[in-house]
Amino acid sequence: MILQTAIDARALGELLDQSPRMRMALHRILTNLLLQHSQLVWSDQADTNELVQALRRQADPDVGRLWAETLKALERSGRMRTLRPGLDLTTGQACDSDPLASELADALDLVVVSSSVLDKKGLGATGYGQMPGEPELAALEAVDSCDSVRKVRALHAGGGFPSGTDRETVWRTVMLPLARASREVTLFDRYLLERFGQGSYRANHVSWLIERLDQACAPNSTVRLLCALNDSHERGTIGSDFEREVIRAPLKNMTVKLVMAPWKAGHGDRGAHNRHLRFSCGMGLAIEEGFDRFGSARISGPDGFALNPLTTADALTRRCDLEEYVTGHPDRAEYVFL
């Protein structure tokens, strides 16, 4: 659902041999890929500087404006990251090593490279390809049709998964890449714990999600669960009940924050019905069905599990606004699990 993407600045330098029209078209292809499907990864500050210098050498104000808008949008959405300050290794230098330097190979899905890098690795004929244990490499003119981009676009266009799909498939293909790239995850679902505390009901879907997120997220991450506080919930015991019956196993990497608020008729759009997952890597998922579809090993319900990616800062901001109904409610209940 998200591609960890790096750019060898030399790939932009090759565009100087193209006509202005073709050059601009290729810049648009790359910036659209970054905005729609990627988190832009720098190896260190020197890597950033190389790309900026390559863009300045384009000597085209339209290209400059396009990239300024793109980088600003990525930064606003939290979709740029630096692997390690002081790494002293640019993407271009990493690509020149054979095999690809492990610092980048382990962190990336896609690297936009120069034709000389592809030729050296025997991938020049197709314009893209992948060596064992390495991210996919693609020339700028071929990046729109490379395997990793086609796969992520198919996921975005698919709209969800049919009934009977293994829930691990949904996790592995959609949620896991986003979780690995994030330090904070917010799950918003009015009905998440609607029946919790009633009879023998167990929120297996919540337990499964917490377990998977704890395995995937980096140490010191936070997962926020925002949902309705019903009349049947006992404020004094729901925290201990949740820890015992839902979390079940000790948390290894993350803190879980459960925030519940009364959700009664008359709140209009503030008491939103639709669900979402929002990741701090700058992407989210709008969910149509409830997360209880993950209560068993295979997706239940005749209509399966439908989702739509949230990739723009505006879309994510709107979800943040919805979350404030719970986080800012004067009668909310909050519980923290370490």
Side-chain angles (χ1 to χ4, degrees), residues 312-335:
T312 68
D314 287 343
L316 294 169
T317 298
R318 288 195 295 272
R319 269 63 187 188
C320 289
D321 292 342
L322 294 176
E323 294 163 14
E324 287 182 7
Y325 171 76
V326 179
T327 59
H329 198 290
D331 199 24
R332 67 187 180 276
E334 298 186 13
Y335 310 90

Side-chain angles (χ1 to χ4, degrees), residues 5 18-19 34 46-47 91 117 144 146 172 204 212 233 255 282 287 300 305 309 316 320 324:
T5 303
Q18 302 283 353
S19 68
L34 295 175
D47 203 28
T91 299
V117 171
D144 217 28
C146 70
R172 187 173 57 254
N204 291 326
R212 291 295 175 272
H233 292 143
T255 297
I287 309 296
S300 60
F305 189 75
L316 294 169
C320 289
E324 287 182 7

Side-chain angles (χ1 to χ4, degrees), residues 136-152:
E136 186 169 28
L137 307 179
L140 211 164
E141 61 269 21
V143 72
D144 217 28
S145 55
C146 70
D147 291 339
S148 56
V149 172
R150 286 191 289 108
K151 287 177 182 176
V152 78

Side-chain angles (χ1 to χ4, degrees), residues 44-59:
D44 66 3
Q45 185 59 44
D47 203 28
T48 309
N49 295 341
E50 270 201 1
L51 185 66
V52 170
Q53 291 301 319
L55 290 171
R56 286 176 177 167
R57 286 193 289 271
Q58 302 290 307

